[in-house]
Amino acid sequence: METPSRTPGPQRPDSGVIARRALAVLESQLRGIDGLRALCSRPELATAVAWLTDCRGRVLVSGVGKSGIVASKIAASMRSTGTPSIYLHPVDAMHGDVGLIGPEDLGLFLSKSGESRELLELVPALQRLGVPIVSIVTRSDSSLASHSDLVLDVGRVEEAGPIPEIPTTSTTVFQALGDILTLLVVWERGLTPEQFSFLHPGGVLGRLTARRVADAMHAGDSVPKVSCEASLQDALVEMIDKRLGMTTVVDPDGRLVGILTDGDIRRILHRHGSIEGLKVADVMTGSPKTIHGDQFLAGAVHQMETNPGGPITSLVVVDAEGRLEGVIHLHDCLRLGAHSPEEMA
């Protein structure tokens, strides 16, 4: 029988050539990242971190092409670590999405050349709203840099491979700098592992979805409470004993009439130098923030985090008639969400 012929397959590349080329790409990437060392010591980086940390709105991260993909990842990393951030596509922004931008936002633009037409066209819109722009570029003499409020110049970057027009090392450098900025802000804000877990729907928030306030609140004898006529010294003892950093204030029928926190005590001591002779009614805060026990824990956390006067750490749980039922503390929510229901059982 005649043996059938076989069509030869493509010739396999030489393994030595592959190794040399792979190492050349890697060396190019390493040189690019190593070039960030100089920027790490410059005051512009510290300023950028301060602006990101103090941003009261959202960080608008934008870029075109491969830089845009990196910008999207940076925005996602910032969101996941507690910095409100979105990827702002420059073309979509100029066709209506500019309406998303507010005066308290901060722009973070990525461009290797600093001459991206789409980004440059977006600059006036941010300037009209008074939104500062931080640009990440490889050329401080570029058009984008000249129109930015702060420039993070990573220096000239040599792309890896045989075609310098293919973004490789530059996107690696931009990504590394994005990670640096994200983590420096994490350090500045003191983000804890529990808080990080809460920011992820598959973590704490997902576990809190079906849990109610009554499942986690302090109730019964563990709830700090005093009367309006109690002395501040008695209130302080109650706060220390119950270890929630506050005490509720109730009337003879058990209805909530106020709240007193350890911060209130510190302010009183600073103002008067002593708490002797003062009663709770003299210094308590009336109409404290409350919630009902049948509401979801996720809603309680949202209410504490978005309190109009600034974030708070506890809510008083009351019934429909305003009678005290318990206290829910933010840390209890975070601890509950950090463990599975089986672990909490």
Side-chain angles (χ1 to χ4, degrees), residues 218-300:
H218 297 263
D221 292 339
S222 66
V223 180
K225 63 180 178 180
V226 295
S227 70
C228 294
E229 296 305 311
S231 68
L232 279 190
Q233 184 173 353
D234 289 339
L236 183 58
V237 170
E238 180 75 353
M239 291 164 61
I240 293 172
D241 286 345
K242 302 302 172 61
R243 301 171 63 181
L244 289 179
M246 51 79 72
T247 182
T248 61
V249 185
V250 297
D251 67 13
D253 295 323
R255 289 185 174 85
L256 181 71
V257 295
I259 190 174
L260 187 70
T261 69
D262 52 6
D264 295 329
I265 298 292
R266 288 193 298 269
R267 284 186 287 272
I268 292 165
L269 287 171
H270 179 73
R271 187 181 309 121
H272 298 283
S274 171
I275 62 174
E276 189 174 353
L278 292 173
K279 293 186 178 297
V280 170
D282 299 328
V283 294
M284 72 179 188
T285 299
S287 303
K289 303 298 181 182
T290 62
I291 195 168
H292 295 304
D294 61 353
Q295 293 186 244
F296 290 116
L297 272 177

Side-chain angles (χ1 to χ4, degrees), residues 56-69:
R56 303 292 294 178
R58 295 169 301 179
V59 180
L60 313 171
V61 195
S62 191
V64 180
K66 303 299 187 294
S67 295
I69 296 173

